[in-house]
């Protein structure tokens, strides 16, 4: 396995990255995408695309929507990475897989609770001199989205490194 360790890492990183994109953009529903950053100070109004009914949501609904999204996101990563690893003949140790998915879940939730002025990514961006870029939403660029993506990619790399712990190939 040691000679194949970089290849196993690359495969698992690619699989979790694909699972992440599918979970974030195809599996996440519109309600979660819009409401997951809601707070009592900054409520979010959601208009149901089917009924046209508008509802307003605060912190409890925001936390619930973010939790739902992160659960479906992590489940999607698990399915994609698990199926891909099996197809490639990679055996991931169950504890390492659980730890990697926990890292992905926790860091995703922390980043996606984008409460205006209080969200983790906005705070990090402001403290590192990237606050202006975080708020940029012009010229075809959305700074918050770009920094969010970079955050997720970084943590997915850490999770893939954890996932290869005790991994074997057939």
């Amino acid at each position: 396995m040691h000679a194949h360790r970089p290849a196993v890492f690359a495969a698992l990183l690619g699989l979790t990255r694909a699972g992440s994109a599918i979970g974030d953009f195809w599996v996440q529903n519109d309600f979660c995408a819009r409401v997951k950053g809601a707070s009592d100070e900054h409520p979010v109004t959601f208009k149901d695309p089917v009924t046209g009914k508008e509802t307003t949501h605060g912190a409890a609904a925001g936390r619930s929507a973010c939790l739902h999204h992160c659960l479906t996101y992590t489940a999607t990563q698990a399915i994609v990475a698990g199926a891909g690893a099996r197809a490639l003949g990679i055996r991931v140790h169950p504890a390492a897989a659980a730890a990697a998915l926990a890292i992905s879940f926790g860091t995703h939730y922390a980043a996606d609770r984008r409460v205006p002025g209080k969200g983790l990514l906005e705070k990090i961006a402001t403290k590192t001199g990237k606050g202006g870029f975080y708020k940029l939403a012009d010229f075809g660029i959305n700074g918050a989205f770009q920094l969010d993506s970079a955050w997720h990619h970084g943590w997915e790399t850490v999770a893939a490194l954890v996932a290869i712990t005790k991994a074997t190939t057939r």
Side-chain angles (χ1 to χ4, degrees), residues 1-2 5 25 31 34 38-39 52 62 75 89 95 100 105 132 141 143 148 150 157:
M1 164 57 186
H2 293 295
R5 197 168 179 82
F25 303 119
F31 178 83
R34 294 179 187 275
S39 69
F105 175 88
I141 297 173
D148 175 90
T157 301

Side-chain angles (χ1 to χ4, degrees), residues 8 11 20 26 29 35-36 42 47 64 66 75 83 103 107 123 137:
V8 170
S20 172
W26 286 100
N29 65 39
V35 176
K36 65 187 177 185
H42 299 280
K47 183 176 181 178
S64 179
C66 194
I103 289 168
T107 59
K123 286 181 179 179

Side-chain angles (χ1 to χ4, degrees), residues 46-55:
F46 177 77
K47 183 176 181 178
D48 187 296
V50 176
T51 66
K53 181 181 177 187
E54 289 189 357
T55 52

Side-chain angles (χ1 to χ4, degrees), residues 23-110:
D24 246 353
F25 303 119
W26 286 100
V27 175
Q28 179 176 207
N29 65 39
D30 192 45
F31 178 83
C32 288
R34 294 179 187 275
V35 176
K36 65 187 177 185
S39 69
D40 294 337
E41 299 85 22
H42 299 280
V44 172
T45 300
F46 177 77
K47 183 176 181 178
D48 187 296
V50 176
T51 66
K53 181 181 177 187
E54 289 189 357
T55 52
T56 302
H57 305 275
R63 287 189 298 270
S64 179
C66 194
L67 177 63
H68 182 268
H69 163 56
C70 290
L71 287 170
T72 60
Y73 167 91
T74 305
T76 303
Q77 277 189 316
I79 291 165
V80 171
R86 184 167 177 81
L88 294 170
I90 300 169
R91 290 186 181 135
V92 179
H93 191 277
L101 291 168
I103 289 168
S104 184
F105 175 88
T107 59
H108 201 89
Y109 184 92

